[in-house]
Structure formats: C-alpha cells, structure tokens
Amino acid sequence: MVVLDHNHILHKQRSASFSWKGLDGEDLGRVARKISVTTAQLCRWSVKQPWTTSANGPGRAPARRFTEAGGPRAEEDLRVDGRGCEDYRCVEVETDVVSNTSGSARVKLGHTDILVGVKAEMGTPKLEKPNEGYLEFFVDCSANATPEFEGRGGDDLGTEIANTLYRIFNNKSSVDLKSLCISPREHCWILYVDVLLLECGGNLFDTISIAVKAALFNTRIPRVRVLEDEEGSKDIELSDDPYDCIRLSVENVPCIVTLCKIGYRHVVDATLQEEACSLASLLVSVTSKGVVTCMRKVGKGSLDPESIFEMMETGKRVGKVLHASLQSILHKEESLGPKRQKVGFLG
C-alpha cells in the first residue's frame, strides 16, 4: 500500500529545497510550480496497490498517477477499497423488523444503517386527487448516527431527504395510488413512511431509497369493504384475516443512484472519504427499466453537460442492476415464509 501522507510531502519539499542553490530565477519558478500542489490535494487519496500478475511475472502494480485535481486519471477504474467506479458495497436487507407497522425494512450499506417503517391509516383524499390515496414522508436523524445531529442538527438534512422522496414519488407510475382509494372523496389509505437514520457512513440517499422500496414491498394493507344500508349511510368494515390484505406493486418504485464527481471520474456508492473529495454529485432516480424519473445536483461544484450525460447513462445502467438484485433478494426472503430467521436489531 502506498500512502501519500503529510510526512511524505514534507520529505519531497525538503528534497526539492536542497537543489535550489545555483538555480536562476526561471528555474526557481519552474521548481516552485512543481511543488505547489497543496497538502490537501495529495492527501486525498490513499492508494492500495494490488498484487498483480503480468507478462514479466508477479509483482506490485505500478504506482497510481494523480491529476492536479487530486483524482485518478480517466483511464483508471480503481478506488481506495479496491472497487471499480461503478461497484456497490455489500448491501444487507431485512424486512418485517418492526411488529407494530404495516411494513418495515432495515438496510445496511457499508457503515450506513437505515430503518424504515410504513403505517397505513385511513383518511380523506386530497381535493385535487379525490380518487387516490397518498404517501407522507418523515425523516428522523438520530443523534446516535453522528454527533452533528445532536439537538436540531439533523433537521435540515431530514427535510432535504423528505423533499427528495416527495419528488421521487410525485408521479403516477411509482405507486398505484388509486388502489389506496376506498371511496372517492370520502375515504382512502394514507401511507406514513417514517425513515430513521441509525448510522451515517456515506451514500445516504441510495440507502434510504432501497430501504423505502423494501418497506413498501413488505407493506400489507387490510382489505376494506364498504357497506351501504337502505338509508344511504356507509359503514366501513375491515377484514380480520391477516392474509386478506392488499399488497403494493413496487416494480416501478425508483431507487436513487448517487454519482460523485471526483477528478475526471464519477463513482457510485461513495464512502465518507470519497464524498469529502467530491465537490458535486448527481442524484438520479431510476426505475427497474432504466427510466430516469427525476434528477438533482448537490454540492457547491459545477457539472458540465457532457459529465451530466455520462453520469445519467451510468446511473441508468447501474440502477437496472441494483433493482434486479433487490427484487431477487426480496422475493427470495418472502419465499422462506415463517421459516426465515429474523436478525432484527441483534445482528
């Protein structure tokens, strides 16, 4: 492993200073430009050199080259932890972890831990959509996740995440909201989606979107019958059978793929260290068919149109694979039925 630390930089600077004697003004300027790379730029990457086998026999891979911006060159596809630019870390998904909800899921991605619970309650449809139910999102940033959330430190982030979820589900194709309507203009199901951040270790939006989709997949809504008497008054009867319920179709529920621009490359599933190196990121909401439903840029940096197009194409490609893997594991877990072993909060 090659680590460019502060001592290494000071050594390079001292080595360069020994050769300053006897140089004219032009040479001194050239040397100064060569060593003017800041400590922050060189310290941004801790490079792991894998053991490789080449035509000349096994040996260490050549040292990584750096750009002036501190990121890898365009032809390289290697990150600090050995992943490629489009590789996700291991994702742990478990559903039905909270007993007093209509559906729940817990997702771990690296050091990020998210818990989502869905509660179905009866309410009145909105005036502009009298024959549809709707979803409400609430995000709680636990102080245990990071010291920055103590007091009201996580309120702004919680509001930002909730608004992003509203934008993702603000279309007719994500969830069949008409199936949540009981009687037009009178009664409908309201799904309260509560997101709890247990631990923050980078790539929050992707992890939350995966957890929300898994929780909606696990949601079971009691079947309702509307009975009308001779006088025209209506009574609502809920089924007592736990298996007589409505299941939501989550096939078109999108997932967020966050692409962080680092140097000349963009990476998915960035760690906290990689996020610190990125000045601009692109959040792409992608369905299982690779359709982009919405897009949002975060960060203080800028993105040129060519980079945005490339990041969108990467997001669609990676999103389709992510959806396929998530759907497969959700159906596999459900097929186990009561026999599956629950880990919950003890794992």
Side-chain angles (χ1 to χ4, degrees), residues 79-135:
R79 295 155 75 174
V80 174
D81 53 9
R83 291 182 293 152
C85 292
E86 299 182 6
D87 294 339
Y88 269 84
R89 291 167 289 180
C90 178
V91 183
E92 298 179 23
V93 181
E94 184 179 10
T95 59
D96 197 19
V97 292
V98 183
S99 58
N100 60 344
T101 60
S102 304
S104 60
R106 186 182 185 184
V107 174
K108 293 182 180 180
L109 178 58
H111 294 291
T112 300
D113 194 355
I114 304 295
L115 176 66
V116 174
V118 180
K119 191 71 173 180
E121 295 184 4
M122 292 182 61
T124 305
K126 296 181 179 180
L127 293 177
E128 62 273 18
K129 298 178 180 179
N131 60 341
E132 295 181 1
Y134 55 95
L135 284 74

Side-chain angles (χ1 to χ4, degrees), residues 304-316:
D304 58 272
E306 184 178 356
S307 295
I308 294 176
F309 178 78
E310 292 178 356
M311 295 166 83
M312 285 181 58
E313 292 300 314
T314 301
K316 291 191 289 185

Side-chain angles (χ1 to χ4, degrees), residues 5 26 39 86 89 112 120 169 187-188 217 219 221 252 262 276 283 285 298 303 323 325:
D5 57 10
E26 183 178 353
T39 300
E86 299 182 6
R89 291 167 289 180
T112 300
F169 287 88
H187 301 93
C188 71
F217 175 84
T219 298
I221 304 173
N252 293 324
I262 303 176
L283 275 61
S285 173
V298 296
L303 295 172
H323 276 287
S325 301

Side-chain angles (χ1 to χ4, degrees), residues 38-296:
T38 63
T39 300
Q41 288 173 330
L42 288 175
C43 288
R44 292 170 83 170
W45 289 90
S46 171
V47 184
K48 181 185 296 183
Q49 299 300 330
W51 191 268
T52 60
T53 302
S54 63
N56 298 325
R60 289 290 179 182
R64 178 187 288 273
R65 293 169 293 177
F66 291 82
T67 65
E68 294 181 358
R73 290 184 180 270
E75 67 271 12
E76 297 181 359
D77 187 21
L78 180 65
R79 295 155 75 174
V80 174
D81 53 9
R83 291 182 293 152
C85 292
E86 299 182 6
D87 294 339
Y88 269 84
R89 291 167 289 180
C90 178
V91 183
E92 298 179 23
V93 181
E94 184 179 10
T95 59
D96 197 19
V97 292
V98 183
S99 58
N100 60 344
T101 60
S102 304
S104 60
R106 186 182 185 184
V107 174
K108 293 182 180 180
L109 178 58
H111 294 291
T112 300
D113 194 355
I114 304 295
L115 176 66
V116 174
V118 180
K119 191 71 173 180
E121 295 184 4
M122 292 182 61
T124 305
K126 296 181 179 180
L127 293 177
E128 62 273 18
K129 298 178 180 179
N131 60 341
E132 295 181 1
Y134 55 95
L135 284 74
E136 293 284 352
F137 295 97
F138 176 75
V139 180
D140 182 15
C141 300
S142 171
N144 295 327
T146 174
E148 298 176 0
F149 293 163
E150 292 183 1
R152 302 181 65 88
D155 289 355
D156 292 341
L157 177 61
T159 302
E160 179 185 359
I161 296 173
N163 291 337
T164 301
L165 292 174
Y166 278 118
R167 288 185 59 187
I168 290 175
F169 287 88
N170 188 25
N171 58 78
K172 297 181 179 180
S173 60
S174 296
V175 178
D176 184 12
L177 298 178
K178 291 185 178 180
S179 65
L180 301 177
C181 181
I182 300 173
S183 58
R185 297 183 176 86
E186 294 180 356
H187 301 93
C188 71
W189 286 110
I190 305 173
L191 300 183
Y192 293 95
V193 182
D194 295 324
V195 180
L196 177 61
L197 277 63
L198 300 175
E199 187 176 0
C200 299
N203 202 16
L204 269 180
F205 287 93
D206 295 29
T207 312
I208 290 174
S209 68
I210 294 173
V212 169
K213 181 169 183 174
L216 291 175
F217 175 84
N218 181 245
T219 298
R220 290 166 171 80
I221 304 173
R223 194 171 295 278
V224 177
R225 295 174 179 84
V226 180
L227 305 177
E228 187 174 354
D229 57 16
E230 297 178 354
E231 297 179 356
S233 60
K234 296 180 180 179
D235 292 330
I236 297 178
E237 182 182 279
L238 271 70
S239 176
D240 296 331
D241 187 357
Y243 296 98
D244 186 18
C245 58
I246 301 172
R247 299 290 300 274
L248 295 174
S249 174
V250 298
E251 181 180 358
N252 293 324
V253 172
C255 283
I256 297 176
V257 178
T258 304
L259 301 107
C260 296
K261 188 71 178 294
I262 303 176
Y264 296 109
R265 297 299 299 262
H266 51 265
V267 300
V268 302
D269 187 22
T271 62
L272 283 177
Q273 293 78 7
E274 290 173 332
E275 288 180 351
C277 295
S278 175
L279 296 178
S281 301
L282 192 68
L283 275 61
V284 183
S285 173
V286 188
T287 66
S288 58
K289 297 180 181 179
V291 178
V292 176
T293 59
C294 72
M295 187 172 57
R296 174 171 171 249

